[in-house]
Amino acid sequence: MQMRTWMVVGGLSFGVSALPAPTIAQDTGTQPVLHVGLRAVKSDGSRGRDAAWETINKPGETFSAWVHAGRVGTADEQLCVMRAAGRGGTLTEVDKRGLDTALHAWKFSHTLVSHEGGRQVVDFDWQRFDRGSPTPAASGKQRLTLGEGQTQFLDLVHGRSGPPCDTVAVAFEVTAKTREDPALADTVLRYDLWLVRQDRSGRKERRHVILSALQGTAPEFHFPPLHAEVPKLQPDQYDFRVATRVGGSIRGRLTRDGRVVLELETYRSDVLEQPASRPPSRPGRGGSGRKVLTAAIGEAIEVQLPPAGGYSSTFATAKAEGERAAPPAGSPLSREPVTVKNGRIEVSYGPFFEGERLSIILQVRKPDGTPDDGVALPVVAAAGR
Amino acid sequence: MNMTYTEILSALVDGESVDPAAVAAALEDAGARAALVDFVRLRNAARADAAPLPASLDRLRAAGPPRRVLRWAAAAAALVLTFMAGLLTAVSWRPDARDPAAPPQPARVERFEPGVDWHPSN
């Protein structure tokens, strides 16, 4: 554990000192960090210790290093011994001895292609060598697009577990992280989000949620569903409605000129459901998206969601349900909003929501008591005034 | 005292035709008697201040509505003005007359574009 900690911190500190701080668009003062290494998997499935490199990267620069696990010739050849080695492709004598006796060793290199709103595009190249063999047992070369906090699994090896080592496998993976600007890291942001639906007649319906979170974190939001009644086309038809659910996450970061960079990830889901009975048996139709925006503190921005599409179909009546009515062959998407055919009701969301305008209106503020002028100060400092 | 007694006595002071029995009944009321004294004082004061109208304008007075009606109309107008002033004052003191749950007016509109930054989920 001591060694792992030293290696991770050493890797990070080396990266900080060796590389000039990259200039990131929208100057939030953040820096892209790539975490590459091994993660132990215990026999109960939980996460064990790890050995990894964390580097602050600059577009166009390549970083190369090694990680290895297990030792040949030890009792049971277990995987508990893990180590990071060879930063920049240069191996020390200790590194060489470790790699020569490693059960599994991964050599990797990565180049940051771009970084925007916490998302990194990375060219990643790796090879695994088993038992000191000069020939790779596995390899990969790919361009990865990683969202902030996202982990990409790359390789897995199994081992023998038993006292004192409970590691049954080791995963080789990469995670995109972001290093916050220390001057802004403690800033708290308040998000007001409204979901507004205007139907074709101009009638508006809305929902409102309020979030408060440290900048750089991405709190989730979920609006209470909007409901639209489904007309009855036959007397014994169940009562149906369409529930539209919208949610997602929002991540805000102050810029040095006092504005806010917002990363909005959201989804829309339309579900045909019976309000009086069971929950919907099928997942809803919809989509999801991600948008990066820059706003002033207190500025309201409307983000329109695309028109609904797809359809939902289920039994229209108790009788049809008892007979397990099958969907009509082919079941082409109807141009009618609601149809009942062969005992099944089908809601085609395009026509059903025709003329609808569904938007999220968002506004970011600093909580009361936080100064609004110029560069934001950490809340801790503001409280001391 | 009630308003009917006051109106009867006001009409009497204005020289209008009134029912003597009604006047008698009104004078039974102490409040009405006090009002009658006030009316007389008011009328005397008005006579003392009023400059005689030119003969050319004298007909205007005759053509207008009875002054008693004007007085009531003025009182009603004063009440309306007072009410309106109070209403306006209340509005200006209200911190936010809008629906507090309503979203603010967006400064700009952005759109998710299918296939670009929006993708179907299934």
Side-chain angles (χ1 to χ4, degrees):
Chain A
M1 183 62 76
Q2 286 282 340
M3 180 171 284
R4 177 184 64 86
T5 304
W6 176 85
M7 284 185 291
V8 172
V9 174
L12 179 59
S13 62
F14 190 96
V16 172
S17 59
L19 298 174
T23 302
I24 304 300
Q26 297 157 330
D27 198 16
T28 56
T30 58
Q31 295 170 303
V33 173
L34 207 61
H35 177 107
V36 184
L38 302 176
R39 176 174 56 83
V41 181
K42 293 184 176 180
S43 58
D44 63 359
S46 63
R47 182 189 183 104
R49 61 193 294 264
D50 59 9
W53 289 104
E54 277 195 356
T55 52
I56 296 173
N57 302 300
K58 186 178 180 181
E61 281 195 356
T62 299
F63 174 86
S64 300
W66 294 74
V67 287
H68 57 88
R71 191 162 294 161
V72 178
T74 57
D76 296 330
E77 296 188 338
Q78 293 178 324
L79 294 174
C80 278
V81 178
M82 297 195 300
R83 191 169 179 274
R87 188 201 177 279
T90 305
L91 297 173
T92 65
E93 286 305 313
V94 175
D95 290 341
K96 286 177 183 172
R97 281 199 298 275
L99 288 169
D100 284 345
T101 58
L103 267 179
H104 309 284
W106 289 262
K107 182 183 182 183
F108 66 89
S109 65
H110 58 74
T111 306
L112 179 66
V113 177
S114 64
H115 171 251
E116 179 245 353
R119 176 169 290 193
Q120 297 183 41
V121 178
V122 182
D123 282 337
F124 201 93
D125 190 358
W126 64 273
Q127 295 167 311
R128 189 184 80 222
F129 302 91
D130 293 344
R131 296 177 178 276
S133 168
T135 306
S139 64
K141 186 173 186 177
Q142 58 199 120
R143 174 163 289 189
L144 303 172
T145 299
L146 300 169
E148 189 169 347
Q150 183 184 343
T151 296
Q152 176 69 48
F153 169 83
L154 296 169
D155 193 18
L156 181 78
V157 293
H158 291 277
R160 296 173 189 160
S161 68
C165 179
D166 194 24
T167 298
V168 294
V170 168
F172 177 59
E173 57 193 22
V174 54
T175 303
K177 298 182 176 180
T178 298
R179 185 173 186 266
E180 298 293 330
D181 183 337
L184 304 174
D186 288 331
T187 304
V188 175
L189 297 174
R190 172 187 153 138
Y191 305 92
D192 276 83
L193 298 111
W194 290 263
L195 177 67
V196 181
R197 175 157 72 191
Q198 181 174 326
D199 66 17
R200 73 187 79 180
S201 71
R203 190 176 68 92
K204 285 186 178 177
E205 194 177 5
R206 63 172 181 256
R207 302 284 186 267
H208 181 204
V209 296
I210 300 172
L211 307 170
S212 183
L214 274 175
Q215 84 143 8
T217 60
E220 290 188 354
F221 61 91
H222 301 279
F223 293 107
L226 297 167
H227 293 119
E229 298 305 314
V230 174
K232 274 199 170 187
L233 300 186
Q234 54 188 63
D236 58 345
Q237 179 183 310
Y238 288 135
D239 289 329
F240 288 107
R241 68 184 181 188
V242 174
T244 299
R245 293 182 172 84
V246 175
S249 66
I250 185 162
R251 187 196 312 269
R253 284 192 172 96
L254 287 171
T255 61
R256 291 192 173 270
D257 63 358
R259 295 170 68 78
V260 188
V261 176
L262 296 166
E263 184 182 348
L264 173 68
E265 293 194 349
T266 191
Y267 67 86
R268 172 193 181 143
S269 172
D270 296 299
V271 185
L272 178 63
E273 62 183 27
Q274 293 173 248
S277 62
R278 55 187 175 269
S281 57
R282 294 184 176 202
R285 300 288 172 177
S288 60
R290 173 181 178 271
K291 203 172 260 302
V292 178
L293 309 159
T294 302
I297 291 287
E299 181 185 17
I301 301 175
E302 177 180 353
V303 183
Q304 280 185 25
L305 275 59
Y311 72 97
S312 289
S313 173
T314 189
F315 302 113
T317 64
K319 179 171 179 289
E321 187 165 9
E323 295 168 351
R324 310 300 295 174
S331 191
L333 197 59
S334 172
R335 291 183 182 176
E336 293 297 320
V338 184
T339 54
V340 174
K341 200 182 295 180
N342 294 353
R344 295 183 69 90
I345 185 169
E346 181 180 298
V347 176
S348 185
Y349 292 124
F352 188 81
F353 287 116
E354 189 178 359
E356 172 207 61
R357 176 170 170 162
L358 186 66
S359 300
I360 293 174
I361 296 176
L362 58 93
Q363 184 183 45
V364 188
R365 286 181 282 175
K366 296 180 197 170
D368 294 342
T370 308
D372 280 340
D373 49 336
V375 175
L377 296 174
V379 170
V380 177
R385 289 187 167 187
Chain B
M1 185 178 75
N2 62 44
M3 292 303 291
T4 307
Y5 292 164
T6 314
E7 287 180 40
I8 290 165
L9 295 175
S10 175
L12 176 68
V13 171
D14 286 343
E16 294 176 28
S17 172
V18 293
D19 180 2
V23 173
L27 291 173
E28 292 291 317
D29 186 281
R33 286 197 299 274
L36 176 61
V37 173
D38 286 343
F39 292 157
V40 172
R41 283 192 182 126
L42 186 65
R43 190 162 190 85
N44 290 343
R47 276 201 187 114
D49 293 342
L53 283 173
S56 61
L57 296 180
D58 200 28
R59 64 184 177 84
L60 291 177
R61 179 176 288 171
R67 273 187 286 170
R68 182 176 62 86
V69 176
L70 281 176
R71 199 159 50 238
W72 284 106
L79 278 173
V80 169
L81 284 173
T82 305
F83 175 75
M84 292 300 293
L87 199 65
L88 291 173
T89 304
V91 168
S92 65
W93 273 90
R94 212 173 288 166
D96 187 357
R98 297 178 313 149
D99 178 357
Q105 186 64 33
R108 67 177 195 268
V109 179
E110 303 274 347
R111 290 175 182 81
F112 277 113
E113 301 294 340
V116 179
D117 53 13
W118 185 267
H119 306 281
S121 57
N122 43 35

